[in-house]
Amino acid sequence: KSGGYVKNSHLIGLFRRICKLLHFGIYPVFIFDGESPYLKKLTTLKRRKQKKKREMAYLANNRKLLMKEFLIKELEKQKNKKTDENEESIEEEIVLDEEK
């Protein structure tokens, strides 16, 4: 409070920063020189699996959307074909009626 030196201020700052991260749902992972800790390996494996799962869901979603577009276009073609056939048959009936 008086602006003087606080003993172990670097540790207090680190502790407060960690508390703030935890408050926002961020779980810090501390890495030290040497081989990766077991927890870090688990975390990276978990993230890879989640990423792969999201990618697969994304691709599946794209396939569904493409199939829907394809089906819609096919239905429109069939509808147009039927209306063209109906118009032709109506014209033929009119011609036949006129001939009688």
Side-chain angles (χ1 to χ4, degrees):
K1 293 182 181 181
S2 63
Y5 176 76
V6 178
K7 189 175 182 179
N8 296 326
S9 62
H10 62 290
L11 295 176
I12 294 170
L14 179 65
F15 178 72
R16 287 184 178 167
R17 172 81 44 107
I18 292 168
C19 289
K20 190 173 190 177
L21 290 171
L22 291 172
H23 173 74
F24 287 106
I26 301 170
Y27 297 95
V29 176
F30 298 96
I31 300 173
F32 301 94
D33 289 344
E35 190 178 328
S36 298
Y38 179 72
L39 179 61
K40 182 179 178 189
K41 287 181 183 179
L42 290 178
T43 302
T44 51
L45 279 173
K46 182 179 172 184
R47 287 179 184 166
R48 277 191 209 138
K49 285 181 184 178
Q50 288 173 344
K51 183 179 179 183
K52 188 71 172 174
K53 195 175 186 181
R54 285 191 304 267
E55 287 173 352
M56 296 302 286
Y58 174 77
L59 291 173
N61 224 7
N62 279 350
R63 282 190 210 113
K64 286 180 186 177
L65 289 173
L66 286 173
M67 288 301 293
K68 283 183 182 180
E69 280 186 41
F70 177 74
L71 289 173
I72 288 170
K73 286 181 182 179
E74 283 299 313
L75 289 173
E76 286 175 355
K77 283 181 186 177
Q78 289 177 4
K79 183 179 177 183
N80 288 339
K81 187 177 180 182
K82 284 182 182 178
T83 55
D84 289 344
E85 288 174 359
N86 285 341
E87 287 175 3
E88 288 175 8
S89 66
I90 290 172
E91 288 174 3
E92 287 176 9
E93 286 177 17
I94 291 172
V95 170
L96 290 175
D97 286 342
E98 289 175 357
E99 290 176 0
K100 289 182 182 178

